[in-house]
Amino acid sequence: PTVVQCISHLVELFPTQCAHSDFSRARHGILEMSRFFSELSVYQASLSIEQRPSVVAFSCVLNAMECVSTVSLPYSVRQDFLEDIAKATHLQEGMMEVCKARSHLRELHSTIPENQFDTSADGGSYDRNMSSLDRLSPVSVTGL
């Protein structure tokens, strides 16, 4: 399986129902940000060649979860999700290979200039209503 396929399977382990109204949007945001991180991972041989896709996918999801507030994704839901992943895959947040992969992904993400995605100069804007299939990630390798 590819990293993107692993991400989709991992995100399926999130609870389908949550009392918080922003949870559905947070879950979708985690999926999209995880896909973005997976595209970045292609640029790093230690991630794209040397690491198992499941480890890279889990690292992408963990890094994406850092971008979501605890209001939208409560701590208890995060913990339940991580426990479900550990039961299903034996992947854990503290594993050495996961920590290294997360660090590499953070480094890759920090090298992108902030204004690279600014489309205001040409009058463009980001349409949040567009489906993920209608738009490409800023650095698209897979075309998703």
Side-chain angles (χ1 to χ4, degrees), residues 26-132:
R27 186 175 186 245
H28 180 73
I30 290 168
L31 177 62
E32 291 298 316
M33 186 59 106
S34 298
R35 288 178 177 165
F36 172 71
F37 281 125
S38 75
E39 291 174 1
L40 290 179
S41 73
V42 174
Y43 293 104
Q44 182 85 32
S46 63
L47 295 173
S48 61
I49 297 171
E50 300 169 11
Q51 216 37 275
R52 292 178 295 155
S54 59
V55 169
V56 176
F58 184 52
S59 301
C60 290
V61 171
L62 289 172
N63 283 8
M65 286 172 52
E66 286 181 346
C67 301
V68 178
S69 74
T70 56
V71 172
S72 299
L73 185 65
Y75 180 77
S76 60
V77 174
R78 291 173 193 248
Q79 287 308 113
D80 290 345
F81 173 67
L82 293 176
E83 288 173 14
D84 289 345
I85 286 180
K87 288 176 192 171
T89 66
H90 302 289
L91 291 169
Q92 295 182 346
E93 192 173 7
M95 294 172 65
M96 181 65 75
E97 58 223 345
V98 171
C99 293
K100 286 181 179 180
R102 292 185 72 191
S103 178
H104 286 300
L105 288 168
R106 283 188 194 110
E107 289 171 14
L108 287 168
H109 186 250
S110 70
T111 61
I112 299 172
E114 263 187 57
N115 62 354
Q116 178 176 345
F117 310 120
D118 183 12
T119 58
S120 59
D122 63 358
S125 64
Y126 179 76
D127 184 358
R128 293 187 183 278
N129 295 322
M130 243 196 274
S131 77
S132 62

Side-chain angles (χ1 to χ4, degrees), residues 1-13:
T2 67
V3 172
V4 172
Q5 289 171 326
C6 290
I7 287 170
S8 295
H9 291 300
L10 291 175
V11 171
E12 288 296 317
L13 293 175

